[in-house]
Amino acid sequence: LKRIPLRTLFKWVCITGVVLGMTPVILVTHANRALGLPDEIFAMGDDLVLTVLGQIGFMPVLVLAANICPPGVEASLYAALMSVNNLSGGLGSLFGGFATQWFGVTESDFTNLPLLLVVTNLAGLLPLPFLFLLPEQTTNDDGELVVVAQAEPEDAQQPGVGVGVGVDVLDVVAEEDLSVEMEEETLK
């Protein structure tokens, strides 16, 4: 897995998750009975498989976090990542409740339940248009993944414009602070 670019990995995790997430449609339409699978066994097996695969699908997120994490803030980044994960679960439940109400699925009317399951599972494809935000990766001669270097804009190289200013200003401020500290030490 560590030789697969993150964009490709996330794309296939999303697509596979949506395809496997459609299995409850088989249960609610009773298509599993035509295959000779009782509802109870299909439901337990389906739930178990989806839970395990969901955890495996989360692994690329943890790998990405480990790759971009600066040294010394690993625990904070992991805590933030888990907070975002928990928030997304809560929002998913909230939006699922709104969708259930919108499709008219109630405790006594399951007419639109298969459609609700299809629509909510297809929502798992929503992250795909945002995969371009991940860094582009390629394999080097050793077969390891490396981030493709992106050309810096021309104005970033000129003093007084873009990124160069921030670095220059910080360097000047750091030098001034150091010289002030040295003068104070000398006076003592």
Side-chain angles (χ1 to χ4, degrees), residues 72-86:
V73 295
E74 293 89 352
S76 298
L77 180 68
Y78 185 75
L81 188 62
M82 291 300 105
S83 296
V84 169
N85 186 45
N86 290 336

Side-chain angles (χ1 to χ4, degrees), residues 45-65:
D46 174 60
D47 191 41
L48 175 69
V49 169
L50 289 178
T51 301
V52 170
L53 291 177
Q55 295 301 316
I56 292 171
F58 193 58
M59 291 299 286
V61 175
L62 296 174
V63 169
L64 176 62

Side-chain angles (χ1 to χ4, degrees), residues 9-183:
L9 191 60
F10 278 120
K11 177 178 73 174
W12 287 110
V13 164
C14 282
I15 292 170
T16 304
V18 167
V19 170
L20 293 174
M22 293 295 181
T23 56
V25 176
I26 295 171
L27 184 64
V28 300
T29 59
H30 302 294
N32 58 306
R33 292 179 186 168
L35 300 171
L37 295 171
D39 290 344
E40 295 82 10
I41 292 176
F42 186 81
M44 286 190 325
D46 174 60
D47 191 41
L48 175 69
V49 169
L50 289 178
T51 301
V52 170
L53 291 177
Q55 295 301 316
I56 292 171
F58 193 58
M59 291 299 286
V61 175
L62 296 174
V63 169
L64 176 62
N67 287 337
I68 64 172
C69 183
V73 295
E74 293 89 352
S76 298
L77 180 68
Y78 185 75
L81 188 62
M82 291 300 105
S83 296
V84 169
N85 186 45
N86 290 336
L87 176 65
S88 67
L91 289 175
S93 295
L94 183 68
F95 288 131
F98 288 140
T100 302
Q101 188 176 26
W102 192 69
F103 279 95
V105 176
T106 64
E107 67 267 359
S108 60
D109 183 12
F110 297 110
T111 308
N112 291 331
L113 184 58
L115 180 60
L116 173 66
L117 291 170
V118 169
V119 170
T120 54
N121 274 305
L122 288 177
L125 298 175
L126 290 175
L128 291 179
F130 299 101
L131 288 180
F132 76 93
L133 295 171
L134 293 173
E136 187 176 347
Q137 294 176 309
T138 186
T139 53
N140 63 12
D141 295 335
D142 298 330
E144 295 179 9
L145 283 176
V146 292
V147 175
V148 174
Q150 296 178 357
E152 290 186 28
E154 288 182 29
D155 59 352
Q157 302 295 330
Q158 300 171 1
V161 179
V163 176
V165 170
V167 172
D168 293 341
V169 169
L170 290 177
D171 289 343
V172 169
V173 169
E175 287 175 13
E176 288 177 6
D177 287 345
L178 185 61
S179 64
V180 168
E181 288 177 15
M182 290 177 68
E183 285 179 22

